[in-house]
Amino acid sequence: MGELGDGGITHRTVAVNGIRLHIAEKGTGPAVLLLHGFPELWYSWRHQISYLSSRGYHAVAPDLRGFGDSDAPPSHDRYTMLHVVGDIVALIQFLGEEKVFVVGHDWGAIAAWNLCMFRPDLVRGVVALSVAFMPRNPLRKPLDTLRLVYGDDYYVCAFQEKERAEGEFAQIDLKLLMKKFLTYHDPKPVIVPKDKGFSTPPEKEIVLPSWLSEEDVEFFANKFRSTGFTGGVNYYRALDLNWELTAGWTSAQIQVPAKFIVGDQDLTYHFPGAKEYIHHGGFKKDVPLLQDIVVIEGAGHFINQEKAMEIAEHIYQFISNI
């Protein structure tokens, strides 16, 4: 089963969909898949793994392809949602499950929504954090939309260029970079001018919040020091390819019981039109089985770590009633 992790979490590497996927897991019972975002790892779910496993669930948190101890194909065209969902489907089959609960944050939420869209037969229920379901716009590619709204210096657009992503990341101490990422707590969009890139030191020393320790930061930094960031950034580079490949699902609804949780200081919640879509009927139209929308006051983007126990309780409350 591999070495023991914190709190009895075990680790193993499984062969799925032509790659090796590292998973952290604990507990027995119905399976709950926990899918992380960028720039994160299975470790982002450490608190929820312990909470859910102690309440009769088999909590399973993979390092998604491109991250941590999982394989990282070099080309961005291997990071479409068809690939990522393919990994998850193969993992579900490996675990011997007919259906699972799935919880996702950030890119993990996007993967979770796509799993529900492609294979609703495999999902008992979905909890999405930070990123609501985003229906495909048949008239414009995602990057064109982002450039139109925010310009070329928006971080997603900057990530399309290696010198503005990996090149910048290599110029700053990784522990400091992870602190900059994980403590980001601003609803404004992330704009990165070319003359003030990701490697620009913060104006003042970063004081870690109570929910994030130096040891936590070191865990993330050590993994990304080993792997680099290309795998994670490739998700952003596959945005337009995703759009092309999912044309067949234009106007598709999500036919799975769902819950959505977001912090009111999360930058995703402040994307133009997001609040209107979430609260004024659009979201419910696209996800008819949406049971609950939770907006957590004062919470930022990395909500599964910042509000760990609250999120764990929300997940448990939802899955225990399905």
Side-chain angles (χ1 to χ4, degrees), residues 203-236:
E203 294 179 3
K204 57 184 179 180
E205 183 182 356
I206 295 175
V207 177
L208 293 182
S210 60
W211 53 268
L212 188 68
S213 70
E214 290 285 347
E215 290 74 23
D216 295 333
V217 175
E218 190 64 47
F219 186 93
F220 287 107
N222 280 339
K223 288 297 180 187
F224 283 103
R225 194 174 288 120
S226 171
T227 64
F229 287 89
T230 298
V233 175
N234 274 339
Y235 283 71
Y236 298 90

Side-chain angles (χ1 to χ4, degrees), residues 4 30 39-40 42 53 60-61 130 164 185 211 215 250 253 271 275 280 301 315:
L4 277 178
E40 297 182 89
W42 74 266
S53 64
V60 182
S130 294
R164 296 190 68 185
H185 207 279
W211 53 268
E215 290 74 23
T250 301
Q253 290 181 314
F271 190 86
K275 291 178 187 176
H280 295 160
H301 181 64
I315 294 169

Side-chain angles (χ1 to χ4, degrees), residues 8 10 34 38 76-77 119 129 182 246 252 320:
T10 59
L34 302 160
F38 178 90
H76 78 273
D77 62 11
R119 294 298 305 272
L129 312 182
L182 296 174
T246 56
S320 63

Side-chain angles (χ1 to χ4, degrees), residues 24-98:
E25 58 188 332
K26 186 178 181 183
T28 57
V32 184
L33 300 190
L34 302 160
L35 310 179
H36 67 80
F38 178 90
E40 297 182 89
L41 304 161
W42 74 266
Y43 188 78
S44 300
W45 299 107
R46 58 198 178 279
H47 305 294
Q48 291 83 12
I49 292 172
S50 295
Y51 184 99
L52 294 170
S53 64
S54 72
R55 284 158 178 79
Y57 291 90
H58 180 196
V60 182
D63 284 334
L64 296 181
R65 69 163 55 207
F67 291 92
D69 293 323
S70 294
D71 282 349
S75 175
H76 78 273
D77 62 11
R78 301 275 301 279
Y79 290 82
T80 71
M81 281 299 114
L82 294 176
H83 290 90
V84 178
V85 169
D87 298 344
I88 300 165
V89 169
L91 176 59
I92 293 169
Q93 293 172 339
F94 176 87
L95 294 171
E97 300 288 345
E98 291 186 8

